[in-house]
Amino acid sequence: MIGTIANTIAIVVGSAIGSVAKRGLGEKYQTVLFAAMGLAAVGLGINSVVVGMADSIYPVLFIASLAIGGVIGTGLDIAGRFDRFVAKRSHAKEGDQGLAQGLSTAIMLFCFGTLSILGPVNSALYGDETFLLTNATLDLVTSMVLASSFGIGIAFAAVVLFCWQGAIYLLANQLAPLLTADLMCEITIVGGFLILASGLGILKVKEIPVMNLLPALFVPPLWFALVNAVQTAGWLA
Protein backbone atom coordinates (compact mmCIF):
# COMPACT_ATOMS: atom_id res chain seq x y z
CA MET A 1 0.00 0.00 0.00
CA ILE A 2 3.04 2.29 0.17
CA GLY A 3 2.69 3.19 -3.50
CA THR A 4 -1.03 3.93 -3.14
CA ILE A 5 -0.37 6.14 -0.12
CA ALA A 6 2.35 7.98 -2.06
CA ASN A 7 -0.02 8.39 -5.02
CA THR A 8 -2.74 9.78 -2.76
CA ILE A 9 -0.37 12.24 -1.09
CA ALA A 10 0.95 13.35 -4.49
CA ILE A 11 -2.56 14.34 -5.60
CA VAL A 12 -3.24 16.24 -2.35
CA VAL A 13 0.09 18.07 -2.55
CA GLY A 14 -0.31 18.83 -6.25
CA SER A 15 -3.85 20.13 -5.68
CA ALA A 16 -2.64 22.39 -2.84
CA ILE A 17 0.19 23.80 -4.95
CA GLY A 18 -2.09 24.33 -7.94
CA SER A 19 -4.80 26.06 -5.89
CA VAL A 20 -2.23 28.42 -4.33
CA ALA A 21 -0.79 29.22 -7.75
CA LYS A 22 -4.30 29.91 -9.03
CA ARG A 23 -4.78 32.77 -6.57
CA GLY A 24 -1.87 34.62 -8.11
CA LEU A 25 -3.04 34.14 -11.67
CA GLY A 26 -5.18 36.61 -13.57
CA GLU A 27 -8.35 35.52 -15.33
CA LYS A 28 -6.71 35.33 -18.75
CA TYR A 29 -4.04 32.96 -17.42
CA GLN A 30 -6.65 30.79 -15.74
CA THR A 31 -8.53 30.66 -19.04
CA VAL A 32 -5.39 29.50 -20.85
CA LEU A 33 -4.72 26.78 -18.25
CA PHE A 34 -8.35 25.72 -18.47
CA ALA A 35 -8.02 25.33 -22.25
CA ALA A 36 -4.67 23.56 -21.89
CA MET A 37 -6.18 20.99 -19.54
CA GLY A 38 -9.01 20.39 -21.99
CA LEU A 39 -6.62 19.91 -24.89
CA ALA A 40 -4.43 17.59 -22.81
CA ALA A 41 -7.43 15.44 -21.89
CA VAL A 42 -8.52 15.27 -25.53
CA GLY A 43 -5.01 14.28 -26.61
CA LEU A 44 -4.63 11.61 -23.92
CA GLY A 45 -8.06 10.22 -24.72
CA ILE A 46 -7.39 9.99 -28.46
CA ASN A 47 -4.01 8.35 -27.81
CA SER A 48 -5.57 5.71 -25.54
CA VAL A 49 -8.27 4.95 -28.10
CA VAL A 50 -5.91 4.71 -31.07
CA VAL A 51 -3.30 2.61 -29.24
CA GLY A 52 -5.95 0.33 -27.77
CA MET A 53 -7.86 -0.24 -31.01
CA ALA A 54 -4.69 -1.41 -32.75
CA ASP A 55 -4.51 -4.40 -30.39
CA SER A 56 -8.21 -5.02 -29.73
CA ILE A 57 -9.53 -8.54 -30.30
CA TYR A 58 -13.15 -7.35 -29.97
CA PRO A 59 -13.33 -4.23 -32.23
CA VAL A 60 -16.95 -3.42 -31.35
CA LEU A 61 -16.84 -4.18 -27.63
CA PHE A 62 -16.20 -0.52 -26.79
CA ILE A 63 -19.40 0.47 -28.61
CA ALA A 64 -21.46 -2.00 -26.60
CA SER A 65 -19.66 -0.93 -23.43
CA LEU A 66 -20.41 2.77 -23.92
CA ALA A 67 -24.03 2.08 -24.89
CA ILE A 68 -24.74 -0.31 -22.02
CA GLY A 69 -22.78 1.77 -19.53
CA GLY A 70 -24.51 4.95 -20.63
CA VAL A 71 -27.98 3.44 -20.22
CA ILE A 72 -27.13 2.11 -16.75
CA GLY A 73 -25.45 5.35 -15.66
CA THR A 74 -28.33 7.47 -16.91
CA GLY A 75 -30.83 5.23 -15.14
CA LEU A 76 -28.88 5.63 -11.90
CA ASP A 77 -28.37 9.37 -12.60
CA ILE A 78 -24.72 9.11 -11.58
CA ALA A 79 -23.85 12.50 -13.10
CA GLY A 80 -26.71 14.28 -11.33
CA ARG A 81 -25.90 12.67 -7.99
CA PHE A 82 -22.23 13.51 -8.43
CA ASP A 83 -22.96 17.15 -9.31
CA ARG A 84 -25.23 17.54 -6.28
CA PHE A 85 -22.65 15.92 -4.01
CA VAL A 86 -19.91 18.25 -5.21
CA ALA A 87 -22.18 21.32 -5.03
CA LYS A 88 -22.91 20.67 -1.36
CA ARG A 89 -19.22 20.47 -0.53
CA SER A 90 -17.74 23.21 -2.67
CA HIS A 91 -17.69 26.96 -2.41
CA ALA A 92 -19.93 28.85 -4.79
CA LYS A 93 -16.98 30.28 -6.68
CA GLU A 94 -15.49 26.87 -7.33
CA GLY A 95 -18.88 25.52 -8.36
CA ASP A 96 -19.30 28.34 -10.87
CA GLN A 97 -16.05 27.33 -12.51
CA GLY A 98 -17.16 23.75 -12.99
CA LEU A 99 -15.56 21.92 -10.08
CA ALA A 100 -17.78 18.90 -10.74
CA GLN A 101 -16.50 18.77 -14.31
CA GLY A 102 -12.91 19.12 -13.15
CA LEU A 103 -13.34 16.40 -10.53
CA SER A 104 -14.87 13.97 -12.99
CA THR A 105 -11.93 14.58 -15.35
CA ALA A 106 -9.47 14.11 -12.48
CA ILE A 107 -11.06 10.83 -11.43
CA MET A 108 -10.91 9.51 -15.00
CA LEU A 109 -7.26 10.51 -15.39
CA PHE A 110 -6.12 9.31 -11.96
CA CYS A 111 -8.05 6.04 -11.58
CA PHE A 112 -8.54 4.41 -14.95
CA GLY A 113 -5.09 4.32 -16.47
CA THR A 114 -3.06 1.12 -16.80
CA LEU A 115 -0.59 2.16 -14.08
CA SER A 116 -3.37 2.88 -11.60
CA ILE A 117 -4.94 -0.55 -12.15
CA LEU A 118 -1.88 -2.79 -12.46
CA GLY A 119 0.10 -0.85 -9.83
CA PRO A 120 -1.87 -2.13 -6.80
CA VAL A 121 -1.74 -5.68 -8.19
CA ASN A 122 2.05 -5.59 -8.51
CA SER A 123 2.30 -4.02 -5.07
CA ALA A 124 0.20 -6.72 -3.41
CA LEU A 125 1.61 -9.74 -5.23
CA TYR A 126 5.27 -8.82 -5.69
CA GLY A 127 5.91 -5.86 -3.39
CA ASP A 128 6.81 -3.84 -6.50
CA GLU A 129 5.82 -0.18 -6.14
CA THR A 130 7.36 1.01 -9.41
CA PHE A 131 4.08 1.48 -11.31
CA LEU A 132 2.44 3.33 -8.43
CA LEU A 133 5.40 5.62 -7.78
CA THR A 134 5.57 6.44 -11.47
CA ASN A 135 1.84 7.12 -11.44
CA ALA A 136 2.26 9.32 -8.36
CA THR A 137 4.76 11.50 -10.22
CA LEU A 138 2.40 11.90 -13.18
CA ASP A 139 -0.58 12.61 -10.92
CA LEU A 140 1.38 15.22 -8.98
CA VAL A 141 1.84 17.30 -12.12
CA THR A 142 -1.68 16.64 -13.41
CA SER A 143 -3.31 17.61 -10.11
CA MET A 144 -1.31 20.86 -10.04
CA VAL A 145 -2.64 21.82 -13.47
CA LEU A 146 -6.20 20.75 -12.66
CA ALA A 147 -6.24 22.61 -9.34
CA SER A 148 -4.85 25.73 -10.98
CA SER A 149 -7.98 25.68 -13.16
CA PHE A 150 -10.66 24.22 -10.87
CA GLY A 151 -9.42 24.89 -7.33
CA ILE A 152 -8.48 22.89 -4.23
CA GLY A 153 -11.59 20.71 -4.60
CA ILE A 154 -9.59 18.55 -7.02
CA ALA A 155 -7.92 17.07 -3.91
CA PHE A 156 -11.12 15.08 -3.31
CA ALA A 157 -10.05 12.87 -6.22
CA ALA A 158 -7.31 11.58 -3.91
CA VAL A 159 -9.98 9.95 -1.71
CA VAL A 160 -11.53 8.23 -4.73
CA LEU A 161 -8.11 7.06 -5.91
CA PHE A 162 -7.21 5.67 -2.48
CA CYS A 163 -10.47 3.69 -2.28
CA TRP A 164 -10.09 2.48 -5.88
CA GLN A 165 -6.48 1.34 -5.61
CA GLY A 166 -7.05 0.03 -2.08
CA ALA A 167 -9.89 -2.19 -3.29
CA ILE A 168 -7.73 -3.54 -6.14
CA TYR A 169 -4.88 -4.14 -3.67
CA LEU A 170 -7.12 -6.15 -1.33
CA LEU A 171 -8.57 -8.17 -4.22
CA ALA A 172 -5.23 -8.61 -6.01
CA ASN A 173 -5.04 -12.39 -5.68
CA GLN A 174 -8.46 -12.77 -7.28
CA LEU A 175 -8.01 -10.03 -9.89
CA ALA A 176 -4.49 -10.85 -11.13
CA PRO A 177 -5.50 -13.81 -13.36
CA LEU A 178 -8.27 -11.69 -14.91
CA LEU A 179 -6.15 -8.66 -15.80
CA THR A 180 -4.89 -10.00 -19.11
CA ALA A 181 -3.34 -7.85 -21.82
CA ASP A 182 -6.48 -8.24 -23.94
CA LEU A 183 -8.75 -7.06 -21.11
CA MET A 184 -6.50 -4.11 -20.29
CA CYS A 185 -6.59 -3.17 -23.97
CA GLU A 186 -10.41 -2.99 -23.98
CA ILE A 187 -10.49 -1.04 -20.70
CA THR A 188 -7.92 1.37 -22.16
CA ILE A 189 -10.15 2.03 -25.19
CA VAL A 190 -13.26 2.71 -23.09
CA GLY A 191 -11.27 4.80 -20.61
CA GLY A 192 -9.81 6.75 -23.52
CA PHE A 193 -13.27 7.67 -24.77
CA LEU A 194 -14.27 8.84 -21.28
CA ILE A 195 -11.16 11.01 -20.97
CA LEU A 196 -11.81 12.38 -24.47
CA ALA A 197 -15.39 13.20 -23.50
CA SER A 198 -14.13 15.02 -20.41
CA GLY A 199 -11.77 17.08 -22.54
CA LEU A 200 -14.53 18.03 -24.98
CA GLY A 201 -16.65 19.18 -22.05
CA ILE A 202 -13.86 21.34 -20.63
CA LEU A 203 -13.34 22.94 -24.03
CA LYS A 204 -17.11 23.58 -24.31
CA VAL A 205 -17.19 21.65 -27.57
CA LYS A 206 -19.82 19.20 -26.34
CA GLU A 207 -21.26 18.79 -22.86
CA ILE A 208 -21.30 15.05 -22.17
CA PRO A 209 -22.43 13.58 -18.82
CA VAL A 210 -19.21 11.60 -18.45
CA MET A 211 -20.09 10.20 -15.03
CA ASN A 212 -23.17 8.55 -16.55
CA LEU A 213 -20.82 6.64 -18.87
CA LEU A 214 -18.68 5.37 -15.99
CA PRO A 215 -20.38 1.91 -15.82
CA ALA A 216 -19.00 1.31 -19.33
CA LEU A 217 -15.65 0.50 -17.75
CA PHE A 218 -17.13 -2.57 -16.09
CA VAL A 219 -18.60 -4.08 -19.27
CA PRO A 220 -15.28 -5.44 -20.69
CA PRO A 221 -14.40 -7.34 -17.46
CA LEU A 222 -17.90 -8.84 -17.39
CA TRP A 223 -17.63 -9.82 -21.06
CA PHE A 224 -14.24 -11.48 -20.56
CA ALA A 225 -15.53 -13.30 -17.48
CA LEU A 226 -18.51 -14.55 -19.51
CA VAL A 227 -16.30 -15.72 -22.39
CA ASN A 228 -13.97 -17.45 -19.93
CA ALA A 229 -16.91 -19.20 -18.24
CA VAL A 230 -18.28 -20.38 -21.59
CA GLN A 231 -14.87 -21.67 -22.67
CA THR A 232 -14.37 -23.42 -19.36
CA ALA A 233 -17.75 -25.12 -19.77
CA GLY A 234 -16.57 -26.37 -23.16
CA TRP A 235 -19.21 -24.52 -25.20
CA LEU A 236 -16.55 -22.69 -27.21
CA ALA A 237 -13.36 -24.05 -28.71
Side-chain angles (χ1 to χ4, degrees), residues 92-128:
K93 184 177 180 181
E94 290 177 330
D96 289 341
Q97 294 180 347
L99 177 58
Q101 186 180 59
L103 258 179
S104 65
T105 300
I107 291 170
M108 301 300 167
L109 291 172
F110 296 154
C111 295
F112 301 117
T114 302
L115 293 177
S116 192
I117 296 174
L118 292 183
V121 175
N122 276 14
S123 176
L125 298 182
Y126 313 114
D128 183 1

Side-chain angles (χ1 to χ4, degrees), residues 61 68 72 183 215-229:
L61 180 57
I68 295 171
I72 294 174
L183 173 56
L217 287 161
F218 299 99
V219 175
L222 291 175
W223 170 254
F224 274 75
L226 176 62
V227 170
N228 183 64

Side-chain angles (χ1 to χ4, degrees), residues 10-11 14 24-25 38 60 74 80 93 95 135 146 159 201 203 229:
I11 293 174
L25 294 174
V60 298
T74 300
K93 184 177 180 181
N135 202 49
L146 281 167
V159 177
L203 293 173

Side-chain angles (χ1 to χ4, degrees), residues 8-233:
T8 303
I9 292 174
I11 293 174
V12 173
V13 171
S15 298
I17 294 174
S19 64
V20 170
K22 175 183 179 180
R23 297 171 189 169
L25 294 174
E27 183 177 351
K28 64 179 180 180
Y29 295 105
Q30 292 183 30
T31 300
V32 169
L33 286 174
F34 194 80
M37 195 63 250
L39 287 172
V42 168
L44 289 171
I46 292 175
N47 180 70
S48 294
V49 170
V50 173
V51 172
M53 282 187 173
D55 298 320
S56 175
I57 61 173
Y58 299 111
V60 298
L61 180 57
F62 76 91
I63 300 176
S65 298
L66 291 170
I68 295 171
V71 169
I72 294 174
T74 300
L76 296 173
D77 191 25
I78 297 176
R81 294 172 187 271
F82 182 76
D83 289 346
R84 290 190 291 272
F85 174 82
V86 172
K88 290 179 181 178
R89 288 158 178 78
S90 63
H91 299 296
K93 184 177 180 181
E94 290 177 330
D96 289 341
Q97 294 180 347
L99 177 58
Q101 186 180 59
L103 258 179
S104 65
T105 300
I107 291 170
M108 301 300 167
L109 291 172
F110 296 154
C111 295
F112 301 117
T114 302
L115 293 177
S116 192
I117 296 174
L118 292 183
V121 175
N122 276 14
S123 176
L125 298 182
Y126 313 114
D128 183 1
E129 308 289 348
T130 304
F131 281 178
L132 287 175
L133 294 178
T134 301
N135 202 49
T137 303
L138 295 173
D139 288 350
L140 173 66
V141 177
T142 303
S143 60
M144 288 173 60
V145 177
L146 281 167
S148 67
S149 297
F150 298 101
I152 189 62
I154 292 299
F156 180 75
V159 177
V160 179
L161 175 116
F162 183 81
C163 294
W164 170 254
Q165 290 187 355
I168 295 176
Y169 180 90
L170 294 175
L171 295 172
N173 287 316
Q174 288 72 36
L175 291 176
L178 302 176
L179 296 177
T180 63
D182 289 336
L183 173 56
M184 290 305 303
C185 175
E186 302 302 331
I187 292 177
T188 296
I189 294 173
V190 176
F193 274 108
L194 297 187
I195 294 172
L196 172 59
S198 295
L200 293 176
I202 292 174
L203 293 173
K204 306 299 182 184
V205 174
K206 174 67 176 179
E207 294 294 335
I208 301 173
V210 180
M211 297 304 289
N212 280 350
L213 294 172
L214 198 56
L217 287 161
F218 299 99
V219 175
L222 291 175
W223 170 254
F224 274 75
L226 176 62
V227 170
N228 183 64
V230 171
Q231 291 177 336
T232 300

